[in-house]
Amino acid sequence: MILQVQGVTKRFGGLQALTQVTFDLPEGQILGLIGPNGAGKTTLFNVIDGVYKPDEGRVIFLGEDVTGKKPYYLAKKGLARTHQIVRPLNELTVRENVMVGACFGHASANLSTAAKIADEVLDLLGLAPKANALAGSLNVAQKKRLEMARAIASQPKLLLLDEVLAGLNPSEIASMVKTVRAVRDRGITIIMIEHVMSAIMNLSDRILVLDFGKLIAEGTPEEIANNEKVIQAYLGDPKLAERLMKGE
Amino acid sequence: MSKKFFQHASLWLSLGTVLVIGLWPIVTHNALNRETAFTVLSAVALASSLNILLGYTGYVSFGHVVFFGFGGYVGFYTINVLGWNIWMAMLAGGLAAALLAYLLGVAILRLRGAYFALATIGINEAVRAFINNFAPFGGPTGMTLNFKIYKAYGGAMHALQLVFYIMVGLTIIVTILSYWVRTSKFGLGLLAIREDEDAAEVMGVITPSAKNWAFVLSAIIPGMVGAIYFFKNGTIEPGLAFPLRTSIEMIVMIMLGGQGTVLGPILGAAGYETMRDYLLVSPLFKNLQLAISGVLLLLIVLFIPRGLVGWLRQRYPKVRRWLI
Amino acid sequence: MMDALIRSLIDGLLLGFVYGIAAMGLTLIWGVMNVINLSHGSLIALGMFSVYYLFVGLGIHPYIALVLTAVLGLIFGVIIYFIAVHRVINAPELSTLLATYSVNMMILGIGTAIFTTTPRNIPLDLGSIQFGETVVTMTRLIAAVISVGVAVGLFLFLKYTRPGRYIRAVTDNRDAAEIVGVPSAQVLALTFGLGTLLAAVSGGLIATFFPFTILSGETYELKSFVIGVLGGLGNPVGSLFGGLILGLIEGLVPMAMPTTWTPVLEFVLFVLILLVAPNGLFGGEE
């Protein structure tokens, strides 16, 4: 198991953001994380990568209990993530942004190696022509790719993707889906939060459904699409799931 | 060769500027020019040091003069009371400032934005008020060097000359340091912190230690400059050592030339001091020197907040690669 | 000994009220627009000179001159806002810190040229009043009473008038306030005007019992920082309590150690509170 989340609970004041969330993630899989807005998906990411300390429970990453460890500790150990709301380092160039990932993440590269990694990753994400532009000058779709590029450049073992498809047009989605597959084929385990159902149903090996901070279902895409609870809580329309599976 | 040379163009430009200022009084054999050059170089050294914290890391210290003053006091004390030579005193001043920065950094670098700026003002005032009461450092009247001390350096004239050469040396060191930080992996981490500290942390930048080292690096040279400045000055007192205005002038110089660049603070410091010299000798502006600096500062803040070098970088993307 | 203590305590508390409204000006501006006004001290000094010249030059009684000073302060603050602050209100904090400091430099530069740095004092002697064993200077007592009045006035203004409600709306959430039609530029300008008014009035009051120069403002600006942090930055009511605490410290410290240790304690306290309780001793939002 690359990641084990055991009984994680997180409260903000009176708000129960996560309640007793438990799951295991084997290496090499793509795990989909879905649920309505406000279900606690991003909070779960923030607990896993050390931005928040859980009130209860443990996070075990690569066999080590990392609960309450700082985000940079986890990054060095092999975790990387993207942000739902992009956070480019605006006044740095696109290449420099990616080099930050390569230098300080799990890759721990020196500057010249980092530049090589950056150029390769920018190529993979189709950002090579923009390498010398300031990150602040990119459009939203490019900024999402930049988030991805920074995360991949750190050569992580586990990658958390927070809505990398949101706000993209269909052709952009198609190419991003391809990229995610390519990343997985490099042996990187992925957890992805996504609202674009067709994409997540197609990509995921397994899916977790979060509702009001609780895990309400877990299984293969087929199982989730046919799960009564999920349909009630989230998908709403029983036929919807079927259509989604076909990618309509 | 030429490509390599071009790659470090900023370093050569920066060192060239420093050398021109440093050689000018030597070539002209003029003691007055030497005094001017000393003032300009110390401004360059202070501004370039603060730039490591303010320009690269994005933490606005409004009380940075505390390191100049504290290093000055420690250096002065080692010369005056312990009988050390100027070299040892300078090292002591630099180390004292670095130690102070390290201890303060652990505490206050958790604060962000304006809260950090306020804390630095508070610390400068607290240290000034403390030294005002600290008998070994002479309290409110400070300390005065025994004139005999200059004898060891072949008299006051030679001592002044020596101090000038040391100042040139320090400015060269700070320029190389600033360039190294800006182009190193460590510096890339600082830039990431400046742009978005939380994102930098998620990407693996060990922010607490990176910030603390930036703070220490930005304090060492001001401590050394303080030590030689007050050795040359012959007296030290709290009002001279910790003026809030000097802190802010350092920021103005950085803004003028371009924060976060190597060349910017050097040009900014030289430009600011030249302008002030001109205003001070001009009968028309003599009394309004401060007000005119204020107008200038406001114009920069409102219309060219990136400063000269920043503006060039923005206006001409082609120069961005080598002009830093 | 006891007498001296009580006297020193009363003096400190009365001063604390006056410092309190100076700090209120600083913290109002911080709370509403997230700007630390580094021209605060020079505005306090301008208030001193305003009352001085209206009295010595035109023969207007200092307390009436104070009202005029308040009006001038309000107008001046609005002007400063539109010239120096408006353009950088959304920029990183360094911009507003430096913009307001540039105003400080201009005021000090021009002020030094005009007023020189010879100390002035306002020749106003209203005698003193005796409470049992302790004697209280009238000017200080009146200054404290006026300060409390000004503070109450500000509170009522913020609570019950339309501009006051706008100011509070902008404090809570400027974007939301703009969406519902609050004219945020005017509100911010008014806030800066009010902050300046408070600085000028406190300066005018201090000038009725302490000698001053154009450079005196810096001391009071630093005190305002300390008070603002004690009471919670952005919490104008807290400032009055912060002022009292500072007044207490200034009244009590001289009993235990040389007066010169007072600023050491004040600034150490200042930094500690920033670190431990950045919202002030009385909590507050955020």
Side-chain angles (χ1 to χ4, degrees):
Chain A
M1 290 297 147
I2 188 164
L3 181 76
Q4 292 161 282
V5 172
Q6 301 175 340
V8 161
T9 295
K10 178 73 193 170
R11 284 178 286 267
F12 295 107
L15 182 79
Q16 189 87 13
L18 294 172
T19 309
Q20 293 292 326
V21 175
T22 300
F23 67 90
D24 288 344
L25 176 62
E27 218 169 321
Q29 283 199 350
I30 294 182
L31 178 68
L33 184 56
I34 63 173
N37 283 322
K41 303 185 295 291
T42 299
T43 305
L44 181 58
F45 272 15
N46 283 334
V47 168
I48 293 173
D49 87 341
V51 171
Y52 298 150
K53 193 175 188 294
D55 296 309
E56 289 166 36
R58 298 195 305 162
V59 177
I60 294 161
F61 178 47
L62 292 168
E64 183 191 336
D65 186 344
V66 293
T67 320
K69 288 271 199 284
K70 289 284 185 188
Y72 46 77
Y73 181 86
L74 280 132
K76 299 235 182 274
K77 199 171 163 67
L79 187 72
R81 76 174 285 184
T82 69
H83 294 93
Q84 181 183 2
I85 298 158
V86 290
R87 305 185 80 153
L89 309 172
N90 284 323
E91 296 281 314
L92 302 188
T93 64
V94 168
R95 182 187 280 110
E96 283 168 335
N97 264 267
V98 180
M99 284 168 69
V100 173
C103 280
F104 297 97
H106 179 243
S108 280
N110 61 29
L111 275 182
S112 57
T113 315
K116 280 194 202 100
I117 297 175
D119 285 335
E120 187 222 345
V121 173
L122 287 174
D123 226 25
L124 175 74
L125 283 150
L127 279 172
K130 288 280 175 188
N132 290 316
L134 292 185
S137 71
L138 300 182
N139 65 34
V140 175
Q142 291 165 334
K143 281 178 181 164
K144 295 233 164 193
R145 293 180 162 273
L146 177 58
E147 285 270 333
M148 266 297 255
R150 279 194 321 209
I152 295 167
S154 74
Q155 303 181 338
K157 299 211 166 93
L158 173 61
L159 177 59
L160 311 180
L161 299 177
D162 198 344
E163 296 201 26
V164 286
L165 304 179
L168 302 188
N169 67 35
S171 78
E172 287 165 347
I173 289 180
S175 87
M176 197 61 127
V177 165
K178 233 196 274 171
T179 312
V180 173
R181 281 223 174 83
V183 171
R184 197 264 305 269
D185 293 343
R186 293 177 167 205
I188 298 172
T189 311
I190 295 173
I191 308 181
M192 60 189 300
I193 295 176
E194 205 47 72
H195 283 298
V196 181
M197 280 304 144
S198 59
I200 200 145
M201 291 286 171
N202 275 311
L203 276 170
S204 306
D205 298 301
R206 237 163 28 110
I207 290 180
L208 301 179
V209 186
L210 215 52
D211 190 30
F212 290 110
K214 290 187 183 123
L215 270 187
I216 58 168
E218 179 177 0
T220 62
E222 287 82 5
E223 287 164 1
I224 293 299
N226 297 313
N227 183 308
E228 283 296 323
K229 272 197 321 216
V230 177
I231 291 165
Q232 267 182 14
Y234 182 43
L235 299 173
D237 169 11
K239 287 269 159 38
L240 180 72
E242 228 168 280
R243 292 210 311 269
L244 286 172
M245 288 305 296
K246 290 181 196 142
E248 276 168 25
Chain B
M1 164 68 203
S2 87
K3 197 184 163 206
K4 259 250 155 80
F5 184 85
F6 214 53
Q7 198 188 341
H8 298 290
S10 244
L11 179 61
W12 308 131
L13 268 174
S14 303
L15 284 176
T17 313
V18 170
L19 278 178
V20 167
I21 302 168
L23 288 174
W24 169 56
I26 299 172
V27 173
T28 56
H29 276 292
N30 182 326
L32 209 65
N33 288 350
R34 197 182 62 209
E35 290 305 296
T36 311
F38 182 86
T39 313
V40 174
L41 289 177
S42 61
V44 168
L46 293 179
S48 289
S49 295
L50 176 57
N51 186 45
I52 294 174
L53 182 71
L54 184 150
Y56 301 162
T57 322
Y59 274 70
V60 181
S61 168
F62 261 80
H64 221 59
V65 74
V66 74
F67 301 115
F68 168 81
F70 188 65
Y73 259 105
V74 170
F76 207 97
Y77 181 82
T78 61
I79 293 172
N80 208 31
V81 180
L82 307 181
W84 293 11
N85 66 35
I86 177 65
W87 302 98
M88 294 303 291
M90 188 172 74
L91 277 183
L95 285 177
L99 186 68
L100 181 67
Y102 183 81
L103 297 175
L104 289 177
V106 171
I108 65 168
L109 283 166
R110 291 187 287 123
L111 299 171
R112 292 197 188 175
Y115 287 95
F116 178 78
L118 274 180
T120 57
I121 294 179
I123 281 167
N124 184 47
E125 295 303 320
V127 172
R128 185 226 300 257
F130 175 78
I131 286 184
N132 210 29
N133 287 289
F134 190 57
F137 283 177
T141 47
M143 297 180 277
T144 303
L145 272 189
N146 188 332
F147 203 67
K148 280 188 210 132
I149 283 178
Y150 292 127
K151 276 224 176 97
Y153 306 91
M157 279 292 289
H158 283 92
L160 283 184
Q161 215 143 26
L162 174 66
V163 162
F164 178 73
Y165 293 133
I166 297 177
M167 192 68 235
V168 176
L170 276 185
T171 316
I172 289 172
I173 292 172
V174 79
T175 304
I176 295 171
L177 176 72
S178 171
Y179 184 79
W180 173 77
V181 172
R182 178 63 178 77
T183 55
S184 67
K185 178 172 164 176
F186 168 64
L188 184 63
L190 298 184
L191 297 177
I193 290 172
R194 178 188 75 191
E195 294 298 314
D196 185 336
E197 187 165 343
D198 295 325
E201 199 166 70
V202 167
M203 282 188 276
V205 180
I206 303 175
T207 52
S209 81
K211 288 189 291 183
N212 220 346
W213 280 112
F215 201 34
V216 168
L217 285 181
S218 75
I220 293 179
I221 303 284
M224 295 167 105
V225 171
I228 65 166
Y229 180 92
F230 287 104
F231 171 74
K232 172 176 177 290
N233 199 45
T235 62
I236 188 167
E237 57 177 65
L240 291 175
F242 304 102
L244 184 61
R245 189 194 288 185
T246 304
S247 281
I248 291 166
E249 278 177 338
M250 289 185 218
I251 300 177
V252 175
M253 293 169 192
I254 293 173
M255 293 285 287
L256 190 63
Q259 51 174 315
T261 67
V262 181
L263 185 58
I266 298 171
L267 296 182
Y272 183 86
E273 288 294 342
T274 311
M275 182 202 71
R276 196 171 58 175
D277 265 12
Y278 171 74
L279 293 178
L280 277 176
V281 296
S282 148
L284 183 63
F285 297 129
K286 199 173 164 192
N287 288 319
L288 289 173
Q289 180 255 123
L290 189 63
I292 292 170
S293 306
V295 172
L296 181 82
L297 172 59
L298 183 60
L299 291 176
I300 295 169
V301 171
L302 293 183
F303 299 107
I304 33 168
R306 288 159 196 259
L308 176 66
V309 176
W311 179 80
L312 285 173
R313 278 169 61 83
Q314 190 190 20
R315 181 82 180 67
Y316 304 102
K318 283 242 164 67
V319 306
R320 228 180 258 154
R321 202 188 286 249
W322 56 269
L323 186 67
I324 54 172
Chain C
M1 178 63 202
M2 202 56 201
D3 277 354
L5 178 73
I6 289 173
R7 181 169 181 163
S8 163
L9 206 62
I10 289 176
D11 270 355
L13 283 176
L14 293 180
L15 263 182
F17 282 112
V18 184
Y19 292 163
I21 59 164
M24 212 176 275
L26 190 79
T27 189
L28 179 71
I29 291 175
W30 166 258
V32 178
M33 51 177 89
N34 263 315
V35 169
I36 289 184
N37 179 14
L38 290 178
S39 64
H40 192 67
S42 58
L43 295 170
I44 292 175
L46 281 186
M48 295 170 163
F49 276 91
S50 167
V51 171
Y52 176 81
Y53 277 107
L54 287 170
F55 179 45
V56 176
L58 301 177
I60 299 172
H61 190 278
Y63 294 120
I64 297 170
L66 201 64
V67 177
L68 294 174
T69 299
V71 175
L72 290 175
L74 182 67
I75 296 169
F76 194 51
V78 170
I79 294 173
I80 293 177
Y81 174 80
F82 280 114
I83 292 178
V85 184
H86 184 65
R87 202 184 152 92
V88 287
I89 188 75
N90 291 318
E93 67 272 359
L94 178 61
S95 298
T96 48
L97 285 166
L98 288 178
T100 55
Y101 191 75
S102 75
V103 173
N104 186 60
M105 289 164 84
M106 290 177 225
I107 295 174
L108 291 188
I110 296 169
T112 310
I114 297 174
F115 306 129
T116 72
T117 50
T118 322
R120 316 288 167 94
N121 66 306
I122 291 177
L124 175 70
D125 189 359
L126 302 177
S128 51
I129 184 169
Q130 187 123 13
F131 292 106
E133 296 291 299
T134 40
V135 182
V136 177
T137 323
M138 267 315 266
T139 46
R140 288 201 190 194
L141 186 63
I142 294 173
V145 172
I146 293 177
S147 298
V148 175
V150 169
V152 171
L154 178 74
F155 179 74
L156 295 177
F157 175 79
L158 290 178
K159 187 116 196 178
Y160 294 110
T161 67
R162 181 188 286 253
R165 280 198 296 268
Y166 281 172
I167 288 178
R168 284 188 295 138
V170 171
T171 312
D172 282 346
N173 187 332
R174 194 191 308 162
D175 293 333
E178 275 173 21
I179 288 167
V180 299
V182 173
S184 83
Q186 280 99 308
V187 171
L188 295 176
L190 174 67
T191 307
F192 209 90
L194 284 174
T196 308
L197 178 153
L198 290 166
V201 168
S202 69
L205 288 173
I206 292 168
T208 61
F209 47 79
F210 282 156
F212 58 92
T213 73
I214 186 71
L215 304 176
S216 301
E218 190 180 316
T219 317
Y220 300 108
E221 175 174 317
L222 290 170
K223 284 189 201 302
S224 298
F225 284 148
V226 179
I227 295 169
V229 168
L230 279 170
L233 275 170
N235 176 0
V237 182
S239 290
L240 209 56
F241 293 104
L244 289 182
I245 295 173
L246 193 82
L248 271 178
I249 294 174
E250 300 208 336
L252 289 178
V253 168
M255 304 269 93
M257 55 182 97
T259 330
T260 49
W261 281 97
T262 313
V264 182
L265 287 182
E266 283 174 2
F267 286 110
V268 168
L269 191 66
F270 171 77
V271 176
L272 285 181
I273 290 174
L274 269 179
L275 288 172
V276 182
N279 296 321
L281 293 179
F282 315 108
E285 57 287 48
E286 249 184 313

